[in-house]
Amino acid sequence: QVQLVESGGGLVQAGGSLRLSCVASGRALSGYAMYWIRQAPGKERQFVATVSRSGGSTYHADSVKGRFTISRDNAKNTVYLQMNSLKPDDTAVYYCAADPRYGVVSGGSYDYWGQGTQVTVSS
């Protein structure tokens, strides 16, 4: 079992920045690819970004490419999402997820999920 706890969400003005963190416990994070997924009110969950087990490969959704950056520190069992140039459309609950597979950008069938952290971007 892997337990994931997100933090770092909050209220920010458009154009601002936030850094989300996701700390894992139970098993070493290095055994899993990591994902950030978001869900806005009344909308389906949306893939945001993924990073491979080693951190050597990343992939970001087109909607966040150039603004968000996913990274990980396996020594700290932590994955990050640096979010810059935030827009009101980025308002959502952000979840981190862990799965042995890298590159699963649709379907959302990941093995482990955190409880989510709210990000609100005001205009």
Side-chain angles (χ1 to χ4, degrees):
Q1 289 286 338
V2 176
Q3 293 78 43
L4 302 171
V5 179
E6 302 96 333
S7 62
L11 174 63
V12 64
Q13 288 188 334
S17 297
L18 285 173
R19 189 174 83 153
L20 305 183
S21 299
C22 173
V23 179
S25 61
R27 287 184 181 178
L29 204 58
S30 57
Y32 300 89
M34 296 299 297
Y35 295 81
W36 285 100
I37 309 297
R38 68 186 180 185
Q39 186 167 23
K43 295 187 178 181
E44 294 184 351
R45 286 178 175 173
Q46 178 188 30
F47 165 83
V48 176
T50 182
V51 59
S52 62
R53 298 182 189 187
S54 68
S57 297
T58 63
Y59 180 77
H60 299 77
D62 287 344
S63 58
V64 306
K65 200 168 293 184
R67 300 188 299 122
F68 291 11
T69 303
I70 190 171
S71 62
R72 66 190 297 162
D73 185 338
N74 285 340
K76 295 182 178 180
N77 254 15
T78 303
V79 63
Y80 305 98
L81 185 68
Q82 178 66 44
M83 305 187 295
N84 299 328
S85 302
L86 282 160
K87 306 175 181 179
D89 284 350
D90 296 319
T91 295
V93 177
Y94 284 71
Y95 300 89
C96 69
D99 195 275
R101 304 163 296 168
Y102 170 69
V104 179
V105 301
S106 62
S109 59
Y110 309 119
D111 280 2
Y112 302 103
W113 291 78
Q115 84 291 347
T117 186
Q118 176 70 47
V119 171
T120 303
V121 184
S122 63
S123 57

